[in-house]
Amino acid sequence: MVSHAEDLSGRMMDRVRQVICGLHGHDSLLQFGPDRMYLRCVSCGYETPGWELNDIPHAAVARHDAPAQPVAPPRLVQPQPQLLGVRRVA
């Protein structure tokens, strides 16, 4: 069983970590849960609300009535070199 003094010192250390994060900012680390992705502070344990991963966007849903068409890779346009005129230097 945890004594009162250990419990109090643990809460005080948590509070000190929160104050340090308040002054310097959180040390965020990307975390994945079963149905969400979120940022969690390594120092104080703060978690952002995050993003839900169980929703499928409309663009990602495959349409069964239209055949899949291959997508052409994007063309890279190379800029033409600029030719400079002859310059005379004294």
Side-chain angles (χ1 to χ4, degrees):
M1 182 146 196
V2 178
S3 70
H4 180 68
E6 290 175 350
D7 185 40
L8 182 62
S9 65
R11 284 188 289 162
M12 285 179 57
M13 287 305 296
D14 289 342
R15 192 71 180 141
V16 168
R17 287 188 199 107
Q18 290 173 356
V19 168
I20 291 172
C21 284
L23 294 173
H24 296 287
H26 292 288
D27 297 322
S28 297
L29 184 66
L30 186 62
Q31 298 283 310
F32 293 93
D35 59 347
R36 73 179 186 125
M37 177 173 65
Y38 57 96
L39 297 174
R40 183 168 189 257
C41 179
V42 178
S43 300
C44 70
Y46 171 76
E47 292 183 6
T48 63
W51 301 271
E52 290 186 16
L53 299 176
N54 56 4
D55 293 336
I56 300 173
H58 277 317
V61 177
R63 293 182 53 173
H64 297 289
D65 57 351
Q69 298 198 4
V71 177
R75 288 184 53 196
L76 298 177
V77 178
Q78 296 290 330
Q80 295 294 325
Q82 298 291 327
L83 300 177
L84 299 176
V86 178
R87 294 185 186 177
R88 292 187 179 201
V89 178

